[in-house]
């Protein structure tokens, strides 16, 4: 009988203790449980948007679970409520740590309007384009680890409301770790999503 597993496991780097010949990746890690159902931070009033847009954006950001990735500590089960939507120090591996000893990792960005550490310099259009197409303000194509393909068909009014809400948040200063290239050793923890099936 086939067995199917959906594994969404938070992994924390420990001291490497195995050698290449008897490598068992799980020897290097301990398991943590992600937190879900986070509150969305209250928005400030912002003259550029209507109250209805901002409230709808807050509702949608809660519904779509943006904070589960973009809140520090949420992926490791200890969400920091002073840093809601202000980015995560826990990254998401985009290559498989069971195959690559040192996978490539991206860190969910700070979505509050802090100029230096968040998206304070992004226009409404920059935010909309990023969520719908994965194209960053800086021109790069974001990996689908940020699930923009799922957001591509969000209705224009809804995506505008999400951008309005994000632009109306209080800025929170929080610098997320830099992207880790494949083959580089991560110093911050990361999560890996994988679907596995036992071999016949
Ligand atoms: C599964 C986790 C996950 C979810 C859910 C998620 N994101 Fe992201 N997001 C990411 C990651 C990881 C990045 C960073 C990608 C990178 O650096 O290449 C990112 C980047 C972004 C960026 C670009 C910011 C920047 O400074 O580069 C925006 C804007 C964004 N996300 C908005 C959202 C919104 C709005 C939602 C909910 C509708 C959402 N994200 C849901 C993981 C997620």
């Amino acid at each position: 009988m086939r067995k199917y597993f959906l594994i969404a496991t938070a992994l924390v780097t420990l001291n490497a203790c195995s050698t290449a010949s008897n490598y068992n990746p799980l020897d290097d890690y301990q398991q943590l449980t992600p937190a879900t159902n986070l509150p969305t931070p209250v928005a400030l009033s912002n003259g550029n948007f209507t109250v209805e847009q901002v409230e709808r954006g807050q509702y949608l950001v809660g519904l779509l679970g943006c904070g589960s990735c973009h809140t520090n500590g949420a992926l490791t089960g200890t969400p920091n409520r002073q840093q809601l939507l202000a980015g995560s120090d826990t990254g998401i591996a985009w290559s498989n740590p069971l195959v690559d000893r040192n996978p490539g990792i991206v860190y969910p960005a700070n979505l509050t309007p802090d100029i230096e550490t968040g998206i304070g310099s992004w226009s409404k259009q920059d935010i909309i384009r990023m969520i719908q197409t994965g194209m960053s303000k800086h021109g790069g194509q974001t990996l689908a680890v940020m699930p923009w393909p799922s957001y591509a068909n969000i209705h224009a009014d809804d995506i505008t409301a999400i951008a309005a809400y994000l632009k109306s948040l209080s800025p929170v200063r929080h610098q997320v770790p830099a992207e880790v290239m494949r083959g580089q050793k991560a110093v911050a923890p990361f999560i890996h999503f994988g679907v596995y099936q036992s071999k016949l």
Side-chain angles (χ1 to χ4, degrees), residues 131-148:
I131 297 170
Q132 285 189 315
T133 69
M135 283 300 289
S136 161
K137 171 180 168 18
H138 312 291
Q141 176 68 58
T142 302
L143 295 164
V145 175
M146 156 67 199
W148 57 264

Side-chain angles (χ1 to χ4, degrees), residues 66 69-70 106-109 111 119 122 130-131 142 145-147 151:
C66 315
C69 287
H70 284 277
V106 285
Y107 293 82
L111 300 184
I119 55 172
W122 290 43
M130 168 66 205
I131 297 170
T142 302
V145 175
M146 156 67 199
Y151 305 146

Side-chain angles (χ1 to χ4, degrees), residues 34-36 38 61 64-76 83-92 106-111 145-147 151 174 176 191 193:
T36 51
L38 293 166
V61 163
L64 294 168
C66 315
S68 304
C69 287
H70 284 277
T71 296
N72 200 16
L75 288 168
T76 51
Q83 294 183 327
L84 293 170
L85 293 177
S88 172
D89 294 345
T90 303
I92 303 178
V106 285
Y107 293 82
N110 181 344
L111 300 184
V145 175
M146 156 67 199
Y151 305 146
H174 174 234
V176 302
I191 186 168
F193 295 96

Side-chain angles (χ1 to χ4, degrees), residues 17 20 34 40 44 52 58 74 98 111 116 121 125 142-143 169 186 189:
C17 55
T40 44
L44 299 172
E52 289 73 25
Q58 180 169 13
L98 303 180
L111 300 184
E116 282 171 27
S121 67
Q125 279 312 323
T142 302
L143 295 164
L169 292 173

Side-chain angles (χ1 to χ4, degrees), residues 123-194:
S123 68
K124 188 184 78 175
Q125 279 312 323
D126 291 335
I127 299 174
I128 291 175
R129 189 172 67 141
M130 168 66 205
I131 297 170
Q132 285 189 315
T133 69
M135 283 300 289
S136 161
K137 171 180 168 18
H138 312 291
Q141 176 68 58
T142 302
L143 295 164
V145 175
M146 156 67 199
W148 57 264
S150 314
Y151 305 146
N153 294 324
I154 296 180
H155 191 280
D157 292 347
D158 288 337
I159 202 92
T160 303
I162 291 173
Y165 170 64
L166 293 179
K167 287 204 75 67
S168 304
L169 292 173
S170 303
V172 178
R173 193 174 169 76
H174 174 234
Q175 181 66 55
V176 302
E179 178 175 354
V180 174
M181 298 301 155
R182 199 172 180 180
Q184 245 178 19
K185 192 166 172 62
V187 289
F190 61 90
I191 186 168
H192 160 65
F193 295 96

